[in-house]
Amino acid sequence: MTSAPVPGRRERKKAATRQALADAALSMFLERGYDRVTVREIADAADVSTTTLMKHFPTKEALVFDREPEIDEALIAAVRDRPADTSVLDALRAHIHQRVASGIRQEAAPLLKLVRETPALSEYWHKMWMGHEHTLSRAIAAETGAPDDDPRCAVLAHFALETASVADRSDDPARMVDVAFDLLANGWQ
């Protein structure tokens, strides 16, 4: 088994700068509110220029959401690495349940509240989250032997992702996930 290459000094410095920016932004957003914090203030807090900040994060909203590759891989893994006796639909249900439960945890509650109460963040999150639709659709197709452009795979990916969005706005997110996946499994009766 080969180990991953150790990042060089330049990569480590970039990663540290990126993390400092994200940490400063989140701290300031939670303390003062998203709309009351400027990009300049975040850059100053991390001791970098606004140009450097924008190289790492092209938008102010992106400072809050910094896990695109991880999310994509988790969605693919939920489908690809499911137990042999678990359907794709049940694997997605379990993954969305886990994702929704992570938003309920006490340490995630302030961030979820910030996103819910800030229209720019809420819209950005939804767009970002739904941006995983194509990747998830392809993973479903690969696991079921369907063609990449199978509309059933695209519809399942869309509604599975949208379920998380609806659940996040619900007073009972876990129940909302079950209702949505029961509807996907059984249809409207």
Side-chain angles (χ1 to χ4, degrees):
M1 174 188 242
T2 59
S3 60
V6 177
R9 182 176 184 194
R10 184 175 181 175
E11 288 79 20
R12 288 192 314 268
K13 287 185 73 153
K14 280 184 178 180
T17 298
R18 185 174 177 81
Q19 190 63 54
L21 287 163
D23 291 348
L26 186 57
S27 175
M28 295 168 88
F29 293 157
L30 291 173
E31 182 182 317
R32 297 181 9 218
Y34 176 80
D35 293 324
R36 293 191 176 112
V37 177
T38 67
V39 170
R40 172 85 246 152
E41 290 173 309
I42 297 164
D44 287 347
D47 197 26
V48 299
S49 69
T50 54
T51 303
T52 298
L53 182 148
M54 298 310 277
K55 284 180 184 175
H56 288 277
F57 298 95
T59 66
K60 185 177 170 185
E61 294 88 358
L63 284 154
V64 177
F65 305 102
D66 189 28
R67 298 180 43 225
E68 288 300 298
E70 293 171 33
I71 293 169
D72 238 17
E73 182 52 37
L75 286 164
I76 293 167
V79 172
R80 180 192 61 218
D81 301 340
R82 72 190 190 286
D85 61 341
T86 302
S87 71
V88 168
L89 190 63
D90 287 340
L92 288 171
R93 179 193 298 247
H95 181 75
I96 299 299
H97 262 299
Q98 180 183 22
R99 193 205 150 282
V100 166
S102 72
I104 296 170
R105 288 194 320 250
Q106 193 168 11
E107 63 271 12
L111 175 59
L112 186 57
K113 182 176 189 285
L114 175 71
V115 171
R116 282 182 177 164
E117 293 176 354
T118 309
L121 291 177
S122 182
E123 290 170 23
Y124 185 89
W125 173 84
H126 187 258
K127 183 178 177 184
M128 177 207 69
W129 177 247
M130 294 307 293
H132 299 288
E133 187 175 328
H134 185 67
T135 301
L136 181 56
S137 176
R138 283 195 337 257
I140 294 168
E143 285 300 308
T144 60
D148 277 348
D149 62 350
D150 188 318
R152 295 171 304 152
C153 298
V155 168
L156 178 54
H158 178 84
F159 286 115
L161 292 172
E162 199 63 67
T163 294
S165 181
V166 171
D168 280 342
R169 296 187 305 265
S170 171
D171 290 335
D172 189 351
R175 181 174 180 278
M176 189 62 73
V177 171
D178 285 331
V179 166
F181 276 93
D182 287 347
L183 186 61
L184 286 170
N186 304 315
W188 185 270
Q189 298 184 14

